[in-house]
Amino acid sequence: MFNRTSLQAAAALASISLLSGCGVFSDSGSTEEQRIVVGTTSSPTTLDPAAAWDNSWELFRNVFQTLVAYPTGSASPKPDAADCRFKDDDSRLFECKVHDGLTFTNGHKLDAKAVKYSIERIRTIDVEAGPNGMLGSLDKIEVTDANTVLFRLNKPDATFPFILATPAMSIVDPAEYPADKLREDGKVTGSGPYVLDSYKEGDKAELSSYDNYKGFADRKNAGVTIRYFKESEPMVAALRKKEIDATYRGLTSAEVVDLEDDKPENKGLQLVESTGSDIRYLVFNSKDKTAAKLPVRRAIAQLVDRDRLVNNIYQGTAEPLYSMVPKGIAGHTTKFFDRFGGPDPDKAEKILRDAGITEPVAMDFWYATDRYGSGTAAEFAEIKKQLEESGLFKITIHGKPWKEFQAGFQHGEYPVYGRGWFPDFPDPDNFIAPFLGKENVLGTPYINSRITDELIPKSRRDTDRAAVTDEFTEAQEIMVQDVRLLPVWQGKLYVAAGEDIGGGERALDPQTVMQLWELSRRTSW
């Protein structure tokens, strides 16, 4: 029978399992027995942290270290390669003392100079729509002694520790990574729990334990093979055939529902479910002559039926979202529902007619075919159907693989396109700030001085992140008026695995990044 486990019940279930003698998870056994094979539809776009503000982080977290990170069970940054703290009351001086004895996998020393080098090359290379976008508050970095680095910020920023905890800020070896360009030899030199032994793009990554690793990760396996799938169907088939031990990212809602069914092919499988903070939303390109029209955007917002979409396409594995800040994060609202209410073709028609738009509006919608799961195509077909049923729109759908898709939206080629957002850190700032400003993750400027120059700076003065709700509520009121972004749904996360695999309930950090070291194999039953 297929077992479904929620994170909330995971600890209790683990205790029951041990007490009942069902089995234990251990580091004993041969290396081969303790090797875990994980499947995913989310492959890296790059092996260089200076270029990645995407799901490449899933690999980075396991082969690199950051100054601070999220040990299992923590929702705020804790020491990883260093002990860090603000040295002032204004949140502008952040000091980190690198732990003694850290080395990269090539034996080179990891020290304060390596930290400074790693962060500064992100700024120097400045990849378009890359992680430099998170470093807007950083003024300069100083090395005050061999193990101490001081970050001077140009303005108060209580979120800076969260930024340093992202895998984009991974520490790299200056001898292996050029200061002014990306590393392109297909190799990785880190100091994390694992060594990347080999990597074949779109196929697999082979990771083995790094014996000289010094950090908080408590490895429960001897190594991991990550297999990359273009579609989820063959990934699920591989899980059932025991060719892989677990899956992460990419299961469609239909597959989740099917895997829950008590049928022979699901025997020996388990499912770990967690409430996700990942969201899906539409982006309207202000440079496109049609998408730039506010009445057009508002009419679309008036027509999209989130309940119908979630029920028809995602079958309970997602829920409607009316806020760029999802449920579970301070600052979540229902502002889009408050403004537009339920789907209403008559109201949408009035919005267009009042603007002098009397003919059906022709628009092109774009999505990534291989990034957010196989259900994305069906989702966009449903959105097209909803808009065209009103008689007010004529929608053409296009899909491209992520690398091509990413290049397209970064160059402003798409009038409307779909994006997913997996949080850099669990704070409302991270669901607002990355999308605003001239340079942002959208590839199209979104300028609003009230948000960028007043509300966000005010919120960043407060280290009590639960106390910044008012600023982000107002920011979202403005975003509802603009409709440059349209939140659609909030997802749930699933780790499907064989029943002999433990640790799935501990493997996802607050950034929804897979901590592979938590996975282990049951050694008795």
Side-chain angles (χ1 to χ4, degrees):
M1 179 177 180
F2 194 93
N3 298 312
R4 179 170 178 164
T5 307
S6 70
L7 287 183
Q8 292 84 352
L13 288 173
S15 298
I16 292 171
S17 176
L18 290 173
L19 289 171
S20 63
C22 293
V24 297
F25 296 97
S26 167
D27 288 331
S28 63
S30 69
T31 299
E32 189 61 32
E33 287 174 344
Q34 285 302 312
R35 190 167 190 86
I36 307 294
V37 183
V38 176
T40 180
T41 62
S42 180
S43 60
T45 60
T46 176
L47 295 183
D48 192 326
W53 198 348
D54 59 24
N55 289 337
S56 302
W57 289 7
E58 293 161 11
L59 179 61
F60 296 169
R61 174 58 75 209
N62 294 279
V63 297
F64 292 105
Q65 282 184 288
T66 46
L67 290 167
V68 290
Y70 298 95
T72 301
S74 173
S76 59
K78 305 296 181 185
D80 186 3
D83 291 301
C84 303
R85 65 185 180 92
F86 277 109
K87 291 192 68 178
D88 63 339
D89 295 329
D90 200 30
S91 300
R92 296 183 63 160
L93 294 175
F94 194 70
E95 182 182 77
C96 292
K97 292 187 177 294
V98 178
H99 297 156
D100 291 330
L102 298 184
T103 60
F104 295 104
T105 54
N106 59 7
H108 295 176
K109 185 177 181 180
L110 191 164
D111 55 14
K113 289 182 179 179
V115 172
K116 183 175 187 290
Y117 183 92
S118 299
I119 307 301
E120 286 187 339
R121 71 184 293 269
I122 293 173
R123 307 182 79 189
T124 299
I125 298 172
D126 192 19
V127 171
E128 186 174 11
N132 189 33
M134 289 187 283
L135 294 172
S137 64
L138 178 60
D139 181 17
K140 61 181 178 180
I141 309 172
E142 299 174 4
V143 172
T144 58
D145 63 43
N147 284 351
T148 305
V149 59
L150 179 67
F151 297 92
R152 292 188 180 273
L153 309 184
N154 53 37
K155 53 191 172 185
D157 188 359
T159 71
F160 193 70
F162 292 88
I163 293 167
L164 290 181
T166 67
M169 305 300 150
S170 295
I171 307 167
V172 301
D173 182 6
E176 301 280 359
Y177 289 80
D180 57 357
K181 63 181 180 179
L182 298 177
R183 182 176 182 176
E184 297 180 345
D185 62 0
K187 298 179 180 180
V188 163
T189 307
S191 60
Y194 297 99
V195 179
L196 181 64
D197 294 322
S198 65
Y199 175 76
K200 184 176 181 181
E201 184 176 354
D203 183 16
K204 64 179 179 179
E206 297 284 359
L207 282 64
S208 61
S209 296
Y210 175 38
D211 293 338
N212 292 327
Y213 165 72
K214 294 182 178 180
F216 65 80
D218 179 15
R219 288 185 302 258
K220 296 178 173 62
N221 57 65
V224 178
T225 297
I226 306 173
R227 285 186 55 187
Y228 300 110
F229 293 83
K230 291 184 178 180
E231 300 288 340
S232 59
E233 184 177 351
M235 181 174 70
V236 173
L239 177 67
R240 284 175 167 150
K241 294 176 184 176
K242 301 188 183 303
E243 295 172 352
I244 61 176
D245 297 307
T247 70
Y248 174 56
R249 290 209 197 281
L251 292 177
T252 66
S253 57
E255 287 164 343
V256 170
V257 172
D258 183 62
L259 283 167
E260 291 178 313
D261 192 12
D262 185 11
K263 55 185 180 181
E265 54 263 49
N266 291 336
K267 184 179 181 180
L269 299 180
Q270 60 173 313
L271 187 69
V272 177
E273 174 191 308
S274 65
T275 300
S277 53
D278 61 309
I279 66 173
R280 297 295 184 275
Y281 59 97
L282 296 178
V283 181
F284 296 92
N285 186 353
S286 61
K287 296 179 180 179
D288 178 80
K289 64 180 182 179
T290 302
K293 297 177 181 179
L294 180 58
V296 170
R297 303 197 300 269
R298 286 180 172 172
I300 292 174
Q302 190 65 72
L303 289 171
V304 172
D305 189 336
R306 295 168 177 82
D307 286 311
R308 176 175 148 185
L309 186 150
V310 166
N311 290 333
N312 289 353
I313 307 302
Y314 292 106
Q315 304 176 55
T317 63
E319 56 184 319
L321 182 65
Y322 297 94
S323 163
M324 286 302 291
V325 179
K327 290 182 179 179
I329 303 292
H332 170 73
T333 71
T334 56
K335 291 297 181 182
F336 274 90
F337 184 83
D338 298 341
R339 169 68 174 81
F340 295 101
D344 191 323
D346 291 337
K347 289 183 179 179
E349 182 176 17
K350 186 177 187 306
I351 291 170
L352 294 175
R353 299 297 178 260
D354 287 349
I357 301 172
T358 59
E359 296 295 325
V361 180
M363 300 188 77
D364 292 287
F365 280 42
W366 291 78
Y367 71 94
T369 59
D370 59 349
R371 196 63 179 171
Y372 306 117
S374 304
T376 308
E379 174 183 341
F380 272 74
E382 174 65 26
I383 292 174
K384 169 184 167 70
K385 183 178 181 180
Q386 292 180 12
L387 296 180
E388 291 186 342
E389 282 177 348
S390 69
L392 302 173
F393 288 89
K394 181 64 178 177
I395 306 299
T396 303
I397 304 296
H398 308 270
K400 280 186 177 182
W402 173 255
K403 280 196 172 182
E404 297 176 45
F405 176 78
Q406 184 181 41
F409 75 68
Q410 287 176 348
H411 290 91
E413 296 177 6
Y414 310 142
V416 185
Y417 66 93
R419 284 290 304 272
W421 186 252
F422 299 91
D424 304 324
F425 47 87
D427 188 278
D429 187 287
N430 193 235
F431 292 91
I432 303 293
F435 310 118
L436 276 291
K438 184 177 180 181
E439 301 292 336
N440 59 44
V441 300
L442 304 175
T444 175
Y446 181 7
I447 309 298
N448 188 289
S449 58
R450 171 61 178 162
I451 299 177
T452 57
D453 298 345
E454 299 179 47
L455 296 175
I456 290 177
K458 181 181 178 183
S459 74
R460 288 179 176 175
R461 293 180 183 276
D462 200 334
T463 56
D464 180 3
R465 302 308 294 161
V468 296
T469 300
D470 289 348
E471 289 84 356
F472 289 106
T473 296
E474 183 180 343
Q476 290 184 87
E477 289 174 349
I478 295 170
M479 295 173 80
V480 169
Q481 294 300 316
D482 294 343
V483 199
R484 286 290 310 282
L485 304 172
L486 184 65
V488 179
W489 57 267
Q490 175 177 352
K492 299 177 182 178
L493 296 176
Y494 296 90
V495 174
E499 64 181 0
D500 63 330
I501 299 299
E505 72 282 358
R506 301 185 302 274
L508 303 181
D509 74 4
Q511 299 161 312
T512 70
V513 171
M514 177 70 92
Q515 299 179 141
L516 295 172
W517 59 83
E518 290 288 357
L519 300 178
S520 60
R521 189 179 303 281
R522 196 183 304 271
T523 57
S524 64
W525 184 258

